[in-house]
Amino acid sequence: MSTPRIELNDHTSIPQFGLGVWQVSPDDVERVVSDAFEIGYRHVDTAQMYGNEKGVGAAIAASGLARDDVYVTTKVNNNRHRPADAKDSARVSLEKLGLDRVDLLLIHWPLPTQYDGDFVSTWEALLELREEGLATSVGVSNFQPDHLDRIVAATGVVPVVNQVEVHPYFANEAARAATLRHGAHVEAWSPLGQGGGELTDPAVLAVAEAHGKTPAQVLLRWALDRGDIVFPKSLSKARLAENFDVFDFALTADEVAAIAALDKGEAGRQGPNPDTFDWIPA
């Protein structure tokens, strides 16, 4: 089955469903990505920070798939925000991935309390990489509304996506609204949460029972129906296949509303707050 594609603001398109490889070890990632390709996935989301780009590249090379049939995202690491470093690190990522271009390159975190608060020059470096043909599209990750406003005001260029934490317990509506207002698309990381109870919530279980689906499938369908781009991860081939089996049902308006009502606001955030997150790897 081919996944739906979403048109981006630079006139390219991205598969709405993909595979995330956060916390997938370098020892496992080639197998996991290869399993996903066999199931039908054609979109892989990695990052310099994950330390597994080489294994992703090995799986792509071994897949026999045409380059244009695989959509690959990577992200600039937090210790590579200075423009020259960002550009050099992107070239290193391409070497590890075995690619001459990446489909989507993101700033991983804005780090507003680091680098004298300057993430605009990092964004400008990504724009230069796009012009050089090393990235087809460029975007951001974990950007708050004011972060988005700032880079767009400074450069006149809107990211194609903003990849942010979104799940039923943390709908992150302010970041979603700002992203959409600018004409970018939302990519939802941790769409299943991070073990915070979303998959056992009675409201989710009721919807799953009504459709004969698993709670994970219901939460992925909820995100897709909202227009978000998702890329759940799993080390299990069976779970990868289960996650992918979400294109044969739709939620009712009442079901969508019931899941949306689970939002806890900021109390539901499970990852770092982008306004204060300042970790820079050695």
Side-chain angles (χ1 to χ4, degrees):
M1 173 178 290
S2 60
T3 63
R5 296 185 74 95
I6 286 183
E7 188 80 13
L8 300 176
N9 62 30
D10 63 356
H11 307 296
T12 65
S13 66
I14 184 173
Q16 192 182 4
F17 191 97
L19 171 71
V21 294
W22 176 58
Q23 292 186 331
V24 180
S25 76
D27 293 337
D28 290 326
V29 71
E30 182 177 356
R31 172 189 59 80
V32 170
V33 176
S34 296
D35 285 346
F37 285 155
E38 185 177 325
I39 291 163
Y41 290 70
R42 294 295 182 267
H43 170 184
V44 182
D45 182 280
T46 185
Q48 294 170 5
M49 190 184 294
Y50 303 166
N52 56 21
E53 290 171 311
K54 188 173 181 179
V56 171
I60 294 169
S63 70
L65 295 169
R67 174 64 187 92
D68 288 344
D69 290 339
V70 180
Y71 194 98
V72 182
T73 299
T74 196
K75 311 176 192 77
V76 173
N77 207 347
N78 290 356
N79 59 355
R80 295 291 184 266
H81 269 223
R82 293 185 177 88
D85 293 340
K87 294 179 77 172
D88 287 344
S89 69
R91 292 181 170 89
V92 172
S93 286
L94 290 175
E95 182 178 350
K96 290 179 178 178
L97 290 164
L99 304 175
D100 60 4
R101 63 173 174 84
V102 69
D103 297 282
L104 179 58
L105 181 64
L106 308 180
I107 301 175
H108 205 151
W109 289 89
L111 303 177
T113 64
Q114 297 287 345
Y115 300 102
D116 298 319
D118 179 17
F119 45 77
V120 172
S121 63
T122 313
W123 176 237
E124 290 171 337
L126 266 63
L127 297 179
E128 292 175 10
L129 288 164
R130 185 185 65 177
E131 292 304 308
E132 294 171 23
L134 301 184
T136 301
S137 299
V138 289
V140 296
S141 182
N142 300 299
F143 271 47
Q144 299 281 62
D146 60 315
H147 303 149
L148 287 171
D149 292 344
R150 183 175 165 193
I151 61 171
V152 174
T155 66
V157 181
V158 176
V160 297
V161 302
N162 185 20
Q163 185 179 122
V164 293
E165 179 182 354
V166 179
H167 47 80
Y169 282 2
F170 183 57
N172 206 354
E173 291 297 359
R176 290 187 79 255
T179 301
L180 298 172
R181 168 170 54 83
H182 279 294
H185 277 281
V186 174
E187 290 194 322
W189 61 257
S190 287
L192 305 180
Q194 297 179 20
E198 296 88 342
L199 296 174
T200 57
D201 190 287
V204 176
L205 293 175
V207 177
E209 183 176 1
H211 289 275
K213 290 290 186 177
T214 67
Q217 288 169 328
V218 165
L219 295 193
L220 292 171
R221 186 69 256 172
W222 178 76
L224 293 169
D225 286 348
R226 282 158 44 100
D228 293 352
I229 300 159
V230 297
F231 32 88
K233 70 159 188 176
S234 178
L235 300 182
S236 159
K237 188 173 184 179
R239 185 62 57 82
L240 289 170
E242 175 190 304
N243 288 344
F244 197 68
D245 185 22
V246 292
F247 301 108
D248 60 350
F249 75 110
L251 305 184
T252 68
D254 286 346
E255 290 168 340
V256 170
I259 295 173
L262 300 176
D263 183 23
K264 299 178 180 180
E266 192 62 32
R269 187 190 293 275
Q270 296 170 17
N273 187 317
D275 286 322
T276 57
F277 185 59
D278 62 356
W279 179 73
I280 297 179

